[in-house]
Amino acid sequence: MTNTGQQHAPEIRAAAQHLGRRRFLTATSAAAALAFATNLPTAGVAGAAELDARRIADNPFTLGVASGDPQPNSVLLWTRLAPAPYEPGGGLPRQRVTVQWEIAHDARFRRVARRGTVTAHPEFSHTVHVEADHLLPGRTYWFRFRTGSWISEKGRTRTAPMQVSRPGSLTLAAVSCQAYHDGYFTAYKHLAQDDVDVVFHLGDYLYEYAVNAVGGARNYTDRTLPAHFNKETKTLEDYRLRYALYKHDPDLRAAHAAHPFVVTWDDHETENNYADDISENDDPPAEFLLRRAAAYRAYWENQPLRRAQLPSGPDLQLYRRLTWGRLAQFDILDTRQYRSDQAYGDKAHVPGPESDDPARSITGATQERWLIDGWRRSNALWNVVPQQVAFSERRLDLNAQAKLSMDAWDGYRASRNRVLAGAEAAGVDNLMVLTGDVHVAYAFDIKDDFDDPDSKNVGTEIVTTSVASGKDGADKPANWDTLTKANPHMKFYNGRRGYVTVTLDRDSALADYKTVPMITKPGAPISTAASFVTEAGNPGLRPA
């Protein structure tokens, strides 16, 4: 699909006329331009009229509840009021709504730990973000919301252990890439029932592509989706509606209600393979940044993110750090917003001067320094980096000079070398990278020198397959023989849908790759396709 400026929404074109190129685009002017493009203020307006919640005739909690970013004494609670989720505005008037929330020690809410009220502003699509604090560390809690006569479903969440504590273990899940039009979110149904402490979503929570009346590969026969989903998302309302479509899915709602999520984006939450202010099809930067501003705002609205991540125009600082006592430090990256443009036209290419230019970066200089400085201060046993695109070298053919992906870290090898040198200088002994994006599962040893299979291992990379993107997939994709031969540091490759769990303890990390045989029809069972372990202090994966 070709995108040109003439195809952009009129609101974006009109607002973009007021903006220059990126270097002239301040956060203030971008925020003002977004308000101009959407006819919305940039913050909730306390003086706006209030809706009497008793007048809400239909269940407003159709998009479920969620929690995220657990800290030792607080967790973020989320919901969105939308009695008609597939309609613009969610079926509510442009009035603010008072919502009560409570978080309890027990599932029956007999021992309430905290409660309060919050305003759901129409300017933020009636989403609610509650930073529930003064909680006890390392505890499981239940939470819910109410407005008028309506009570939401309950969610389960947990706080992180105290930063100075030494928890015995942690089980995390990693998920990514959930193209609604490619099939059902069966993996989430199973994840909701799995025993994990926290879920890391590694990007492509939604896709900007059109979804037809039958939901694409879902091939609905019992419903017809509205026509406004059958187009690419470009405006703020487009993105908001697309989140409603995704979050209305019962399996995704169940997973959010069962576990706290830590989210980061990749490209499709905005547009395929964009890089900073450069769109896939080289739209004028001012126009693309207005689209990015709309996408970023809708992302914050619809995810369990704290106020620190509230966007300002086309900018949102998503990289952040969480800890799980002294067992694990999580440095969540954003490899999309600050990256240099992909080399060689974003086509698979052998390494060359353009891709290996040391001035190029996939993280941006500020985020790179933040990551390495965080490692220097870390006292965690495991240093885990949840991020988006393949970190380890991935040779795509058997030639002596193999082609590599220019969209992954292979297209930014100087950036990868600086990060690995920073980890070594900081004394990081147990580096683990969590990755999504590629719609397949990999297990990699991260090598000191990828050209030398006998060089030392400096970490491990666990790549989760997609939840839905790529449809049913296959245990051995067509290039399985080529990639496994070309990459001796690749210990596992599987192309089915699913997710991965990783259990970290004081001695080792165990990765279980969980897959389903199909997603184009609902109800598939889940099984463990493979398990690998790496010992603390001895990087390198071996079958468990």
Side-chain angles (χ1 to χ4, degrees):
M1 181 181 297
T2 300
N3 295 333
T4 68
Q6 293 304 310
Q7 291 175 302
H8 277 187
E11 303 97 314
I12 291 179
R13 292 202 306 272
Q17 293 173 4
H18 299 270
L19 306 176
R21 291 189 62 82
R22 174 66 169 163
R23 61 180 176 271
F24 300 118
L25 185 59
T26 67
T28 301
S29 66
L34 177 62
F36 176 87
T38 59
N39 195 31
L40 289 177
T42 57
V45 180
E50 181 168 4
L51 175 68
D52 183 351
R54 293 173 297 181
R55 295 176 54 197
I56 300 176
D58 297 311
N59 177 21
F61 297 109
T62 57
L63 303 180
V65 300
S67 67
D69 280 19
Q71 296 180 2
N73 301 112
S74 72
V75 68
L76 192 287
L77 311 180
W78 176 95
T79 194
R80 176 178 171 187
L81 307 182
Y86 292 176
E87 295 180 8
L92 289 176
R94 293 187 51 76
Q95 295 174 283
R96 55 191 173 94
V97 182
T98 298
V99 179
Q100 294 82 41
W101 61 272
E102 54 186 348
I103 185 167
H105 296 282
D106 65 301
R108 295 186 176 184
F109 292 84
R110 291 174 175 172
R111 297 175 56 227
V112 174
R114 297 275 289 159
R115 59 163 53 99
T117 61
V118 65
T119 300
H121 291 282
E123 296 86 2
F124 289 109
S125 196
H126 291 106
T127 58
V128 169
H129 297 72
V130 174
E131 298 191 14
D133 54 12
H134 300 291
L135 303 176
L136 296 175
R139 300 294 181 91
T140 298
Y141 287 93
W142 283 261
F143 66 98
R144 64 186 178 186
F145 301 88
R146 70 175 71 212
T147 190
S149 60
W150 298 98
I151 301 176
S152 75
E153 63 192 272
K154 63 186 176 185
R156 184 181 63 182
T157 189
R158 65 178 300 118
T159 52
M162 292 180 65
Q163 196 161 3
V164 297
S165 68
R166 296 179 181 270
S169 66
L170 156 70
T171 300
L172 64 88
V175 295
S176 74
C177 302
Q178 51 198 53
Y180 185 99
H181 56 276
D182 272 358
Y184 289 89
F185 294 165
T186 308
Y188 278 130
K189 179 179 181 180
H190 295 288
L191 177 56
Q193 299 166 3
D194 212 338
D195 184 17
V196 303
D197 297 300
V198 61
V199 177
F200 287 87
H201 198 294
L202 304 176
D204 293 343
Y205 190 95
L206 61 68
Y207 280 68
E208 76 276 28
Y209 304 138
V211 180
N212 65 19
V214 298
R218 296 187 176 208
N219 198 26
Y220 290 140
T221 59
D222 60 344
R223 74 200 77 175
T224 300
L225 297 179
H228 54 234
F229 291 128
N230 198 18
K231 65 176 182 177
E232 185 172 342
T233 54
K234 294 182 180 179
T235 68
L236 180 57
E237 194 62 60
D238 290 341
Y239 287 106
R240 285 171 166 172
L241 284 166
R242 192 60 55 88
Y243 279 107
L245 175 65
Y246 277 59
K247 296 180 84 72
H248 196 245
D249 180 274
D251 295 330
L252 179 55
R253 289 204 315 269
H256 272 300
H259 312 297
F261 272 55
V262 177
V263 300
T264 187
W265 54 38
D266 192 19
D267 51 342
H268 288 288
E269 290 91 348
T270 301
E271 183 199 44
N272 179 56
N273 281 20
Y274 79 94
D276 192 8
D277 63 350
I278 302 169
S279 74
E280 180 181 20
N281 294 296
D282 295 321
D283 297 315
E287 291 188 13
F288 176 68
L289 284 168
L290 262 295
R291 178 179 180 177
R292 197 179 94 171
Y296 283 15
R297 178 171 174 132
Y299 183 84
W300 183 86
E301 289 175 347
N302 286 281
Q303 298 292 3
L305 288 167
R306 294 176 181 269
R307 191 163 187 84
Q309 276 63 59
L310 181 66
S312 179
D315 303 311
L316 186 160
Q317 184 177 317
L318 195 57
Y319 65 87
R320 60 206 190 278
R321 180 171 294 120
L322 298 172
T323 61
W324 207 264
R326 299 185 66 175
L327 180 63
Q329 175 173 295
F330 299 101
D331 295 292
I332 301 103
L333 298 190
D334 172 359
T335 62
R336 194 57 63 176
Q337 184 176 182
Y338 313 106
R339 67 160 64 194
S340 308
D341 195 13
Q342 293 92 339
Y344 300 111
D346 199 13
K347 304 296 183 184
H349 202 280
V350 298
E354 185 178 343
S355 60
D356 286 349
D357 182 349
R360 289 167 41 77
S361 175
I362 196 171
T363 61
T366 300
Q367 184 178 193
E368 183 181 291
R369 287 193 300 271
W370 168 87
L371 175 62
I372 295 171
D373 288 346
W375 282 336
R376 292 188 182 120
R377 295 190 296 269
S378 173
N379 59 11
L381 177 63
W382 297 95
N383 285 277
V384 184
V385 183
Q387 55 94 54
Q388 295 76 23
V389 295
F391 183 84
S392 301
E393 183 173 88
R394 188 167 46 114
R395 297 174 181 238
L396 302 177
D397 57 57
L398 294 170
N399 297 326
Q401 188 84 359
K403 290 183 178 180
L404 307 175
S405 169
M406 293 296 103
D407 189 55
W409 286 79
D410 277 339
Y412 303 80
R413 298 200 303 176
S415 196
R416 179 172 62 201
N417 289 341
R418 289 193 298 269
V419 166
L420 289 178
E424 183 177 17
V428 172
D429 294 323
N430 299 298
L431 173 65
M432 176 176 288
V433 178
L434 300 179
T435 299
D437 180 59
V438 286
H439 309 169
V440 297
Y442 295 128
F444 287 111
D445 288 340
I446 302 173
K447 306 298 288 186
D448 181 56
D449 179 359
F450 286 106
D451 291 330
D452 179 6
D454 295 324
S455 69
K456 68 178 181 179
N457 297 324
V458 295
T460 57
E461 181 178 10
I462 306 299
V463 182
T464 184
T465 187
S466 62
V467 169
S469 305
K471 301 182 181 177
D472 291 337
D475 289 322
K476 289 187 176 182
N479 62 355
W480 189 91
D481 282 335
T482 298
L483 263 61
T484 53
K485 290 176 182 176
N487 300 282
H489 57 287
M490 179 189 291
K491 306 303 179 182
F492 178 65
Y493 177 17
N494 182 281
R496 292 291 186 189
R497 306 299 139 237
Y499 61 96
V500 63
T501 61
V502 180
T503 299
L504 304 172
D505 62 29
R506 309 303 301 181
D507 299 316
S508 63
L510 172 67
D512 291 320
Y513 291 86
K514 302 184 179 185
T515 61
V516 295
M518 64 180 179
I519 59 161
T520 49
K521 294 181 180 179
I526 198 160
S527 62
T528 300
S531 298
F532 289 87
V533 67
T534 180
E535 297 174 355
N538 184 26
L541 292 162
R542 58 178 175 80

